[in-house]
Amino acid sequence: MINTHDNCPRLEGKYVTLREVMLDDAALIIELRTSERAQLVLHHTDPDVEKQREYLRKYFAKNDEWYFIVEDRSGKAIGCFGVYGLTEDSAVTGRWVMRESKDPRPAIESKLLLSDFVYEQLGLDNVRTDTSEKNVAMQSLYRMLGCDELYRKDGIIYYNMPRSTYEKNKNKLLRFL
Amino acid sequence: MTREEINRKVVEVVSETLALPTEHVTMKLAIGDIPQWNSMANMAIITAVEETLGIEIPSEDLFELTSVESIVEEVAKVKGL
């Protein structure tokens, strides 16, 4: 499957919908990525909206990446999440930022919808991901899901989750929905 | 299992999950008190407590467990103590 940007699916859940990013989401992405909490664990994001729009234009020129905005049931944008780094049998899920919330369900469902997209719709067998060594909460989530830690470099921890591990541990997330 | 053992096990799980020294894990410590204890980490804590103590917390109680004390109380309830 390639992303022609006419065929990018909407990933619909009970709590959230993931729809493809638009150029007009540039300011939103900057807002999400430059929040005080996000800055602790993400790479630096230039706050220039025009540069972010340029980044998105480059995204739309590619056909092997999927960049989604996470919306709640009212249509309010509450996060972003992407798939990139395609290989023959794997892809990276990342660029994941959610607005801080006491309710974990939108984040859980986002993770499940995007993982299902990679395994089922893209037909890949491995989801790779990474997080900052400072992001203890995300590390705890990946441990809970049984992700394999591959290596650490420059303060980043790299993981892989084979399809079999995901299928075995998916219920650990589903029970919280 | 005694109440003291439950306290100790829950403190150990919270400490390990949040990468926090055990002496900093008080009964009053709760979600949001420190940056690493957010809603996602809370889910990981609850799952790790269940796996460590061999219990299953009822689904209807999952979102009530937001502090060390409430988790200890829930484990004691499930264990019938």
Side-chain angles (χ1 to χ4, degrees), chain A residues 81-150:
Chain A
F81 211 168
V83 177
Y84 48 96
L86 239 62
T87 71
E88 204 168 272
D89 71 345
S90 74
V92 177
T93 61
R95 300 172 187 153
W96 188 20
V97 188
M98 300 287 292
R99 289 192 200 281
E100 183 68 13
S101 169
K102 288 183 176 173
D103 184 353
R105 288 173 289 194
I108 295 168
E109 194 171 57
S110 302
K111 177 74 178 166
L112 288 164
L113 287 169
L114 202 68
S115 298
D116 285 344
F117 172 69
V118 174
Y119 292 119
E120 304 307 326
Q121 296 196 44
L122 298 183
L124 301 172
D125 288 326
N126 292 281
V127 167
R128 292 175 286 128
T129 194
D130 58 71
T131 193
S132 164
E133 284 182 330
K134 295 177 190 168
N135 197 343
V136 171
M138 202 55 72
Q139 289 169 49
S140 68
L141 174 70
Y142 294 148
R143 275 200 305 275
M144 169 186 157
L145 288 173
C147 295
D148 300 322
E149 183 179 325
L150 300 176

Side-chain angles (χ1 to χ4, degrees), chain A:
Chain A
M1 180 178 177
I2 60 167
N3 188 3
T4 63
H5 305 288
D6 291 323
N7 67 346
C8 186
R10 285 173 68 86
L11 309 178
E12 305 263 3
K14 184 176 170 187
Y15 299 97
V16 295
T17 295
L18 275 61
R19 54 103 177 142
E20 190 171 35
V21 71
M22 300 182 291
L23 282 181
D24 286 348
D25 292 317
L28 165 74
I29 292 169
I30 289 173
E31 181 198 333
L32 289 167
R33 292 186 62 89
T34 58
S35 73
E36 192 178 340
R37 185 176 61 92
Q39 291 264 291
L40 291 174
V41 294
L42 292 181
H43 298 299
H44 171 72
T45 299
D46 193 314
D48 186 316
V49 174
E50 191 44 48
K51 284 184 181 169
Q52 185 64 227
R53 288 176 70 89
E54 187 52 36
Y55 178 88
L56 292 176
R57 282 189 198 98
K58 287 178 182 168
Y59 160 76
F60 282 110
K62 299 173 188 171
N63 60 14
D64 59 352
E65 295 190 5
W66 290 261
Y67 199 2
F68 295 97
I69 295 297
V70 182
E71 294 180 341
D72 67 14
R73 296 318 298 162
S74 70
K76 182 184 171 194
I78 56 170
C80 53
F81 211 168
V83 177
Y84 48 96
L86 239 62
T87 71
E88 204 168 272
D89 71 345
S90 74
V92 177
T93 61
R95 300 172 187 153
W96 188 20
V97 188
M98 300 287 292
R99 289 192 200 281
E100 183 68 13
S101 169
K102 288 183 176 173
D103 184 353
R105 288 173 289 194
I108 295 168
E109 194 171 57
S110 302
K111 177 74 178 166
L112 288 164
L113 287 169
L114 202 68
S115 298
D116 285 344
F117 172 69
V118 174
Y119 292 119
E120 304 307 326
Q121 296 196 44
L122 298 183
L124 301 172
D125 288 326
N126 292 281
V127 167
R128 292 175 286 128
T129 194
D130 58 71
T131 193
S132 164
E133 284 182 330
K134 295 177 190 168
N135 197 343
V136 171
M138 202 55 72
Q139 289 169 49
S140 68
L141 174 70
Y142 294 148
R143 275 200 305 275
M144 169 186 157
L145 288 173
C147 295
D148 300 322
E149 183 179 325
L150 300 176
Y151 62 95
R152 296 183 183 219
K153 187 179 177 188
D154 300 331
I156 306 292
I157 310 173
Y158 294 85
Y159 299 93
N160 182 54
M161 183 155 59
R163 178 195 292 266
S164 57
T165 303
Y166 177 68
E167 286 171 353
K168 182 180 160 196
N169 292 329
K170 186 178 174 180
N171 280 340
K172 290 183 183 182
L173 288 180
L174 280 171
R175 67 187 291 250
F176 283 88
L177 293 182

Side-chain angles (χ1 to χ4, degrees), chain B residues 1-17 20-23 25-27 45 48-49 52-53 68-69 71-73 75-76 81:
Chain B
M1 178 170 259
T2 66
R3 190 69 181 226
E4 289 68 33
E5 286 170 324
I6 292 172
N7 285 3
R8 184 170 51 77
K9 287 283 186 192
V10 170
V11 166
E12 283 173 5
V13 168
V14 172
S15 164
E16 188 176 336
T17 307
L20 194 65
T22 52
E23 58 267 30
V25 183
T26 65
M27 285 297 122
I45 288 170
V49 164
T52 302
L53 294 167
V68 175
E69 187 172 36
I71 296 170
V72 167
E73 290 297 329
V75 173
L81 295 176

